[in-house]
């Protein structure tokens, strides 16, 4: 999946007279198919509808049963079993993390001249600074390193 995205960004940049397009990924945990109005829902999502109409939607891909493994697969463009993270979610302070030898989408996009910003949940491990987004190809990060954050209070929750 990732190699296709890089190819599209490179081709589009060339076609558009050298100006590379903006690339925005939105990963929403637990978002159902009919939770956006462009799939026929009664819910009104006009901004998402416009982004979907004017952009490229990734709607035929595999996800994992947990959020951290889905993010790892998207960031690496690899099946989760190839990263060694299959089996369980990355727990806060649990010692697991996306392996540092994995090259991420953010690294490839940086090589193409993109600035990479991550806003929201990282959930790929933060046992050391080297595992955090700004050391994994992102220029800016604003959010939470772990998972299970309380929506309103912004504190770690346990199930």
């Amino acid at each position: 999946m990732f190699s296709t995205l890089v190819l599209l960004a490179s081709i589009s940049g060339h076609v558009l007279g050298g100006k590379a397009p903006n690339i925005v990924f939105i990963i929403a945990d637990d978002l159902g198919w009919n939770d956006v109005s462009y799939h026929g829902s009664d819910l009104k999502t006009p901004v998402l509808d416009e982004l979907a109409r004017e952009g490229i939607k990734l709607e035929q891909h595999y996800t994992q049963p947990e959020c951290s493994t889905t993010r790892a697969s998207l960031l690496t463009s690899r099946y989760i079993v190839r990263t060694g993270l299959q089996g369980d979610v990355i727990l806060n302070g649990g010692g697991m993390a996306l392996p540092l030898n994995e090259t991420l989408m953010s690294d490839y996009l940086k090589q193409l001249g993109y600035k990479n910003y991550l806003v929201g949940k990282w959930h790929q491990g933060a046992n050391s600074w080297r595992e955090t987004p700004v050391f994994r190809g992102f220029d800016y990060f604003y959010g939470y390193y772990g998972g299970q954050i309380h929506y309103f209070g912004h504190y770690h929750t346990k199930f």
Side-chain angles (χ1 to χ4, degrees):
M1 176 173 62
F2 175 66
S3 58
T4 303
L5 294 173
V6 172
L7 181 61
L8 287 173
S10 300
I11 291 171
S12 297
H14 178 70
V15 171
L16 297 173
K19 185 175 183 209
N22 291 323
I23 300 173
V24 177
F25 285 100
I26 299 173
I27 302 174
D29 293 337
D30 305 319
L31 181 72
W33 181 263
N34 281 330
D35 290 342
V36 289
S37 54
Y38 65 85
H39 284 156
S41 173
D42 291 335
L43 298 172
K44 302 299 178 210
T45 56
V47 174
L48 294 177
D49 295 348
E50 182 178 356
L51 286 170
R53 186 174 48 256
E54 295 181 9
I56 298 171
K57 296 179 288 193
L58 303 177
E59 295 185 321
Q60 295 180 348
H61 55 88
Y62 293 104
T63 61
Q64 304 298 316
E66 277 99 17
C67 48
S68 58
T69 51
T70 294
R71 283 173 169 74
S73 289
L74 179 65
L75 287 168
T76 63
S77 186
R78 299 180 67 183
Y79 290 114
I80 199 62
V81 71
R82 303 275 190 229
T83 66
L85 293 175
Q86 73 281 2
D88 203 2
V89 69
I90 296 174
L91 299 174
N92 296 335
M96 286 177 53
L98 183 63
L100 295 174
N101 64 339
E102 293 288 349
T103 304
L104 305 186
M105 178 189 324
S106 50
D107 297 314
Y108 290 114
L109 290 171
K110 188 176 283 277
Q111 290 173 11
L112 293 172
Y114 279 89
K115 295 287 186 189
N116 300 308
Y117 299 85
L118 177 62
V119 177
K121 183 168 75 169
W122 169 242
H123 209 189
Q124 295 302 296
N127 304 293
S128 72
W129 284 114
R130 295 180 321 140
E131 295 171 350
T132 62
V134 294
F135 290 93
R136 302 299 308 262
F138 288 93
D139 298 292
Y140 177 82
F141 171 68
Y142 179 79
Y144 187 62
Y145 288 129
Q148 303 171 335
I149 188 168
H150 189 273
Y151 183 75
F152 294 107
H154 302 149
Y155 54 83
H156 172 71
T157 60
K158 294 182 181 181
F159 293 106

